[in-house]
Amino acid sequence: MTLAFERNGSLCVEGVSLADIAARFGTPCYVYSRAALTAAFLAYTDTLRAHGVIDRSMVCYAIKANSNLAVLNVFARLGAGFDIVSGGELARVLAAGGSPDKIVFSGVGKKPAEMAEALKVGIHCFNIESASELATLNEVAESLGCIARISLRVNPDVDAKTHPYISTGLKSNKFGVAYTEAHAIYRHAASLRNIKVVGIDCHIGSQLLDPAPAAEAVDKLLSLVDALATDGIVIEHIDVGGGMGITYRSDEAAPSAAEYLAPMLVKLARRTEKLIFEPGRSLVGNAGLLLTRVDVLKPGEVKNFAIVDAAMNDLMRPAMYEAWHEIVKVGNSPAGAGVESRPRTAGTLHGREAVLRENPALPPSIYEIVGPVCESGDWLGHDRSLALSEGDLLAILSTGAYGMAMASNYNTRPRAAEVMVDGNDVHLIRQREAVAQLFALESLLP
Ligand code: LLP
């Protein structure tokens, strides 16, 4: 699924051609669309409004998916809250203008210093994942003379039916407290002097294409909330986590926000608790692409390789999850040639047709699209039918989520530049790293 569309033989994001972006900022380069980010966020809030729950809902963007300050700032301006998992992410949200009282702090291993930072700025809630963490938070809050607001992340033991590495709601996963133990931990939490129980949360996995498991998890949370109420423990908010899947390949049907949220909202609309959502991927995944250049074509006896200047360090998902990202060719039309007639809607799928129309003379071959990193696992796409020449630009689609956020400096490769398109403008939102910066913190022995 792409946010790019064809204009005179060149792929564009909103009003800006990708060839121009590559010429100006170099490659590899992550390109995001402000319009697509905004549309994805509004799809959530429109759905919440349609179900009559908007006034008691908070959409807390899970920033692990893409934590660039400009991305966070786009969501902060739209009124989003944020889901964080570290002190580093807390600092980012604050630097990007996010409100502390709309922050929920998830994660299985929060450190006391991170808890203290979050308490000092007054976050909305700590999503607690173990009895041990609860005890530590109580101590930290006591030492600061304040009260920590908490939710328990309950593991509902629901099969999210997604990739095992990104499934989190099963008994066998490290996340949350067991459903059967939750009530006792809540009782204990309610007895602690520096803890205030305010919520319940869960997150069963990521890239969920079927809304049923999330709705099943909500049922389990609601029975627990009712059981707690009979015990005098009042749950003010229900946080259903993130997880909504996106379309990575055109033959894969991902639910819209309306379709994904409806089965759980039907249950939640009858209640009075406040609601929290923690979408990550679904707000940013299809609002970004990775622009890369073909450096070397290497025909082989068994396979043809196209060696591009992006690699596994820039985009880990193929190597890590065997994830599939659509890869399309970007035309190289000169800047400003021709006038665009297409409406600039975000999320329009035109990539492959654009590729084939753009260069009909060159027959497509089957390529392994790989990076220059010294690992056989350094691949970005297997068996792609593309008509390629050295120097061509490619766009690796649906990489706005868990792309740059998971990038590393492996092979001492500077991380990519990031830009955001906003209408006809393009803004550099993260400079390409310089090699000297990569070892600036290292020292020689005396
Ligand atoms: N809330 C919690 C507590 C989470 O652990 C996560 C993601 C989210 C929300 C956001 O989930 P989303 O809406 O993005 O599915 N690196 C993997 C995905 C890891 C997801 C981790 N937790 C990937 O590239 O597919």
Side-chain angles (χ1 to χ4, degrees):
M1 184 79 169
T2 174
L3 68 159
F5 63 88
E6 186 204 352
R7 181 179 66 186
N8 294 330
S10 180
L11 284 187
C12 297
V13 167
E14 298 191 41
V16 183
S17 99
L18 290 173
D20 285 352
I21 291 177
R24 197 166 148 200
F25 301 101
T27 53
C29 179
Y30 275 100
V31 181
Y32 310 119
S33 153
R34 181 179 188 178
L37 294 169
T38 304
F41 185 82
L42 296 183
Y44 258 80
T45 50
D46 286 351
T47 301
L48 299 174
R49 194 169 294 109
H51 285 261
V53 297
I54 187 79
D55 293 335
R56 56 182 168 102
S57 295
M58 192 156 73
V59 179
C60 292
Y61 167 56
I63 89 163
K64 62 170 76 74
N66 184 327
S67 55
N68 182 289
L69 293 193
V71 172
L72 303 185
N73 181 252
V74 166
F75 291 133
R77 292 192 207 195
L78 292 167
F82 296 94
D83 169 39
I84 60 165
V85 291
S86 69
E89 288 195 347
L90 174 62
R92 277 186 179 274
V93 169
L94 300 177
S99 310
D101 61 356
K102 289 188 187 168
I103 293 175
V104 296
F105 194 164
S106 303
V108 282
K110 303 173 195 75
K111 289 194 172 291
E114 293 176 311
M115 292 173 173
E117 284 308 309
L119 283 169
K120 282 183 205 156
V121 299
I123 66 163
H124 181 71
C125 186
F126 289 85
N127 290 353
I128 292 296
E129 301 223 16
S130 64
S132 163
E133 191 189 18
L134 181 64
T136 307
L137 180 62
N138 187 47
E139 282 165 24
V140 175
E142 189 181 2
S143 72
L144 293 174
C146 64
I147 305 286
R149 295 162 55 84
I150 70 116
S151 159
L152 265 197
R153 176 169 175 176
V154 176
N155 186 335
D157 197 24
V158 165
D159 185 355
K161 303 192 184 83
T162 184
H163 192 289
Y165 288 9
I166 49 177
S167 180
T168 49
L170 287 171
K171 274 185 190 162
S172 53
N173 296 129
K174 71 176 175 185
F175 299 100
V177 302
Y179 190 77
T180 46
E181 289 167 22
H183 196 130
I185 300 177
Y186 266 114
R187 226 178 255 156
H188 177 59
S191 74
L192 295 173
R193 287 203 19 217
N194 293 83
I195 295 290
K196 177 169 163 53
V197 171
V198 292
I200 189 165
D201 65 284
C202 76
H203 172 79
I204 59 170
S206 201
Q207 184 53 17
L208 310 189
L209 295 173
D210 175 2
E216 191 185 331
V218 164
D219 275 335
K220 288 201 152 184
L221 292 194
L222 291 179
S223 0
L224 193 50
V225 170
D226 292 340
L228 290 167
T230 62
D231 224 0
I233 299 172
V234 180
I235 297 298
E236 294 170 17
H237 78 240
I238 298 171
D239 174 347
V240 298
M244 180 178 133
I246 62 168
T247 300
Y248 279 103
R249 46 195 307 166
S250 23
D251 60 358
E252 174 183 60
S256 64
E259 288 162 347
Y260 183 78
L261 295 172
M264 65 172 99
L265 288 180
V266 166
K267 300 169 195 289
L268 294 166
R270 295 189 218 116
R271 313 275 304 196
T272 54
E273 293 89 357
K274 293 190 174 120
L275 308 176
I276 295 181
F277 302 83
E278 300 173 1
R281 184 192 320 264
S282 52
L283 296 191
V284 291
N286 274 322
L289 57 81
L290 175 57
L291 195 54
T292 183
R293 196 175 287 282
V294 178
D295 279 338
V296 178
L297 288 181
K298 192 173 168 183
E301 276 178 32
V302 186
K303 285 180 187 272
N304 299 317
F305 293 96
I307 301 164
V308 299
D309 63 5
M312 65 187 292
N313 73 295
D314 300 299
L315 180 64
M316 281 290 291
R317 302 193 73 257
M320 201 159 166
Y321 314 115
E322 299 198 343
W324 198 95
H325 288 266
E326 175 109 31
I327 301 177
V328 298
K329 202 166 127 184
V330 174
N332 294 313
S333 297
V339 180
E340 177 211 353
S341 55
R342 293 192 61 84
R344 290 185 208 128
T345 42
T348 333
L349 180 70
H350 288 290
R352 189 168 292 279
E353 303 95 88
V355 169
L356 296 176
R357 235 176 301 152
E358 196 245 332
N359 204 343
L362 204 58
S365 301
I366 305 296
Y367 284 101
E368 291 291 293
I369 310 294
V370 300
V373 160
C374 304
E375 299 262 356
S376 296
D378 179 27
W379 60 276
L380 299 168
H382 287 313
D383 295 336
R384 301 307 172 94
S385 173
L386 289 164
L388 293 183
S389 310
E390 290 182 357
D392 279 348
L393 285 173
L394 298 177
I396 307 178
L397 304 178
S398 310
T399 47
Y402 306 111
M404 183 64 171
M406 292 171 71
S408 79
N409 294 119
Y410 188 39
N411 280 201
T412 306
R413 288 170 50 85
R415 277 179 295 172
E418 290 176 291
V419 302
M420 192 179 303
V421 176
D422 185 8
N424 291 325
D425 298 325
V426 54
H427 304 280
L428 180 64
I429 59 169
R430 191 175 203 271
Q431 290 176 27
R432 181 178 311 288
E433 287 171 338
V435 169
Q437 292 174 312
L438 305 189
F439 50 81
L441 300 177
E442 299 171 25
S443 330
L444 303 178
L445 293 182

